[in-house]
Amino acid sequence: MHRFAIRRAGRLLVSLWVVITAAFGMIHLIPGDPVRAALGPTAPAELVQARRAALGLDDPLWLQYLNYLHHLVTGEFGSSTLSGLPVAQVISDRLPATIELALASFVLAILISVPLGLAMAVATRNGRRRPAELAFTSASAVLAALPEFLVAVGLVYVFSVTLGWAPVAGRSGPDSYVLPVIALAIGPAAVLARIVRVETLAVLQADYIRTARAKRLPSRLIYLRHALPNALTATITLGGLILGGLIAGTVLVENVFAWPGLGSTIVSSILAKDYPVVQGIVLIYGIGVLLINLVVDIALALLDPRSTIRKS
Amino acid sequence: MSELRFEEVSVRYGTRRRGHTVVDGVNLTVASGTVVGLVGESGSGKSTLARAAVGLIPLSGGQILLDGRPLPKRTPLQMVFQDPYSSLDPRMTVGASIAEALPRGAFARNAIAAEVTRLLELVDLAADRAGLYPAALSGGQRQRVALARALAGRPAVLIADEITSALDVSIQGTVLNLVRQVQARMRLTMLFISHDLAVVRYVSDTVAVMQGGHIVECGPADDILSNPQHPYTRQLLAAARSGQR
């Protein structure tokens, strides 16, 4: 297990390097001059030139890359070209709001999807209750296909504008979490519930479920002790991917709800060509996804005695 | 031990209009403390009969009696299944799997481990196997675990459904020996199902031959094997002999 952890950490470092390089390359491939964008079209050419030199933007690309790596290693993310604030501070101000949103949505998606998927599998096993199965698969397909921002706008229209039950935007109190969390969780919950159902249906056909029935265990134990743990392997893997996808979803949902997180910041920074901030946030997103994948792999290795991940 | 009796038992799959009768009016008695071998080719209805007995499939006609009384809802029958590779929960240790089958409340918490050890030793497995997952065991060992698991339920009758057919020939013999040993030691009433007449002959007191959902011939093992009456039995016997050659 220790060797697995070390190997996995080594892979994480390689992925991290790829993410860092991609974040650097991406910014420099986008056309446009960040200094000109920050200072405005009327700024004198000398000022722009002086600022470019101060930021090191006139150096050759490889030198900029090395400087960038050096700064990252020393914990120096640079400063916003727009506000002059250190990027590290911008990120530390905004990150908690995004993490709260993503985690709350993930927990909600799991709390909805696992019991729902399991219950639907039990109810519709062996071709029982066809109408219920059809209703579930159609409804979940529609919900899974709806883009987050559309769900978000729909929720705002119904629950904030029309009914006035929840705030339209912002992060001001517990009730301000309700709509963004639902908007972000509903798609992943639908996808996961479908996966849990299909996995559980497959497991219910397995011989060891027949053995469990032959042991005359109560249904509750058959489903919770034998079916669910065996159905969850794929769910954990996909759950990790979905949590990674939730991070992308936060960008859209945060913008709809003016949520003061990284997502709304990255969009405004891209529009303002505030490269250091964009670079820093892209890096944080990348690291977030890598960490989630790491946690999922470790969880699989720990939870599933059959898992071959340890050997891979 | 108890006597198991099938009276005019029928099982039908599918809907009423578009269905298929798999077991058709079967009468069969497994006397207390004896082994009845049920032979027949694939699709003859043997496994369906067994599953109906343990309540995994509903009957469409007739009744199954235990000591002359209809089977209670929580049937005291236990079954060992064909495939030892898939019949054990891969996420549960061997010990937990066996312990789960013990009658609830029959053992104090601290007596469970001792009972699991006793059952493992009964099927010639070392007590330290209890902590392993099924994936760490061979097919023969898993089938022993499956047998221990079935015995843990204190069955009135044990049903063995093709328990050797997923095993290598070399291991089949050891598992069969074990079954015979355990049956003799515990005076188990047993319905032993196989498509292989040679295997059935080895463990059974009585042999019943099944074809197309019917029992075509039934009698003491020696009589059936030395003097088969039904053409299908002769055919099976000839097949078994040619297989041995």
Side-chain angles (χ1 to χ4, degrees):
Chain A
M1 194 64 200
H2 289 294
R3 286 183 57 195
F4 161 71
I6 292 168
R7 261 201 315 270
R8 192 61 189 73
R11 269 184 21 214
L12 181 74
L13 285 180
V14 174
S15 315
L16 200 58
W17 173 73
V18 172
V19 168
I20 289 170
T21 308
F24 174 82
M26 200 157 57
I27 293 303
H28 287 269
L29 289 174
I30 299 172
D33 183 350
V35 177
R36 173 59 74 189
L39 297 178
T42 55
E46 300 82 51
L47 184 62
V48 172
Q49 198 50 48
R51 195 70 197 272
R52 283 187 63 86
L55 289 170
L57 290 173
D58 290 333
D59 294 338
L61 206 55
W62 63 267
L63 189 59
Q64 288 190 43
Y65 179 63
L66 287 184
N67 280 332
Y68 171 64
L69 287 185
H70 178 251
H71 286 148
L72 282 186
V73 171
T74 52
E76 172 62 48
F77 286 85
S79 302
S80 163
T81 54
L82 208 62
S83 63
L85 286 173
V87 173
Q89 192 192 329
V90 174
I91 290 174
S92 63
D93 284 349
R94 300 294 184 125
L95 187 59
T98 297
I99 290 181
E100 274 175 19
L101 186 60
L103 276 186
S105 308
F106 183 66
V107 169
L108 181 67
I110 295 285
L111 287 181
I112 294 173
S113 61
V114 172
L116 182 65
L118 184 67
M120 284 313 295
V122 171
T124 60
R125 66 188 192 279
N126 301 330
R128 293 175 201 191
R129 299 191 182 85
R130 292 264 185 219
E133 184 186 358
L134 191 66
F136 171 78
T137 47
S138 337
S140 57
V142 170
L143 289 177
L146 283 176
E148 291 96 343
F149 66 90
L150 206 62
V151 176
V153 171
L155 287 173
V156 168
Y157 179 74
V158 175
F159 294 100
S160 302
V161 178
T162 312
L163 297 170
W165 289 355
V168 176
R171 173 171 170 255
S172 47
D175 55 348
S176 65
Y177 283 77
V178 175
L179 294 188
V181 167
I182 292 176
L184 205 49
I186 216 162
V191 175
L192 270 180
R194 288 173 71 98
I195 293 163
V196 172
R197 174 177 163 267
V198 170
E199 289 290 318
T200 310
L201 280 179
V203 168
L204 288 178
Q205 295 293 323
D207 282 354
Y208 53 82
I209 296 295
R210 206 175 52 184
T211 306
R213 287 192 203 287
K215 280 180 189 172
R216 304 191 292 268
L217 294 176
S219 311
R220 181 175 49 86
L221 283 188
I222 294 177
Y223 299 135
L224 293 183
R225 195 186 283 169
H226 292 279
L228 188 61
N230 280 294
L232 281 188
T233 309
T235 313
I236 291 173
T237 315
L238 285 156
L241 286 177
I242 284 171
L243 182 57
L246 269 178
I247 290 185
T250 57
V251 176
L252 299 166
V253 170
E254 282 184 15
N255 277 287
V256 173
F257 289 97
W259 192 261
L262 290 179
S264 48
T265 313
I266 198 174
V267 171
S268 58
S269 303
I270 290 171
L271 293 175
K273 293 203 188 305
D274 193 346
Y275 286 3
V277 174
V278 175
Q279 224 165 23
I281 295 180
V282 166
L283 201 59
I284 293 297
Y285 280 146
I287 291 171
V289 172
L290 289 179
L291 284 181
I292 290 165
N293 287 345
L294 179 72
V295 170
V296 167
D297 277 3
I298 292 175
L300 276 180
L302 289 178
L303 295 179
D304 191 347
R306 297 164 302 169
S307 175
T308 51
I309 266 185
R310 283 181 237 192
K311 293 175 202 127
S312 68
Chain B
M1 276 298 142
S2 316
E3 180 199 77
L4 180 70
R5 202 156 77 229
F6 296 85
E7 276 185 359
E8 292 297 324
V9 167
S10 296
V11 178
R12 206 174 146 76
Y13 285 135
T15 56
R16 198 169 294 174
R17 228 178 296 163
R18 277 194 310 171
H20 181 61
T21 303
V22 186
V23 173
D24 196 1
V26 162
N27 291 301
L28 181 68
T29 301
V30 187
S32 178
T34 68
V35 181
V36 169
L38 189 59
V39 272
E41 62 197 3
S42 300
S44 59
K46 336 180 274 293
S47 290
T48 304
L49 195 63
R51 280 175 204 176
V54 289
L56 292 171
I57 301 173
L59 299 186
S60 55
Q63 55 179 348
I64 301 174
L65 304 172
L66 188 69
D67 289 330
R69 280 190 292 275
L71 278 176
K73 199 156 190 214
R74 296 173 64 78
T75 152
L77 270 56
Q78 278 294 341
M79 188 156 169
V80 182
F81 296 103
Q82 178 172 2
D83 188 353
Y85 290 93
S86 57
S87 67
L88 297 169
D89 189 335
R91 283 171 176 275
M92 209 174 237
T93 61
V94 163
S97 218
I98 295 174
E100 198 185 46
L102 293 172
R104 244 149 295 146
F107 292 90
R109 195 163 279 240
N110 49 12
I112 288 177
E115 177 63 9
V116 168
T117 303
R118 188 187 75 81
L119 286 162
L120 282 174
E121 282 167 358
L122 191 67
V123 295
D124 290 346
L125 283 176
D128 62 355
R129 304 281 158 177
L132 297 179
Y133 286 96
L137 301 179
S138 70
Q141 288 172 327
R142 288 184 204 200
Q143 205 55 303
R144 286 160 195 260
V145 172
L147 185 62
R149 195 276 305 157
L151 294 174
R154 298 293 151 98
V157 178
L158 186 70
I159 298 180
D161 184 11
E162 299 271 14
I163 59 169
T164 56
S165 53
L167 302 176
D168 288 346
V169 179
S170 57
I171 300 161
Q172 280 186 7
T174 26
V175 171
L176 285 178
N177 277 332
L178 179 73
V179 167
R180 222 157 73 148
Q181 248 174 46
V182 171
Q183 191 274 332
R185 200 186 305 167
M186 301 178 68
R187 302 293 303 149
L188 278 173
T189 306
M190 195 162 154
L191 180 62
F192 188 94
I193 298 170
S194 177
H195 64 279
D196 189 341
L197 200 54
V199 167
V200 166
R201 171 164 54 182
Y202 188 66
V203 290
S204 310
D205 305 303
T206 307
V207 169
V209 182
M210 203 161 176
Q211 185 192 25
H214 301 272
I215 301 251
V216 293
E217 189 165 2
C218 183
D222 292 340
D223 293 1
I224 297 267
L225 292 163
S226 57
N227 186 21
Q229 299 299 312
H230 196 276
Y232 179 65
T233 314
R234 280 186 218 129
Q235 209 180 315
L236 278 180
L237 207 55
R241 280 190 188 124
S242 69
Q244 281 169 351
R245 240 174 257 149

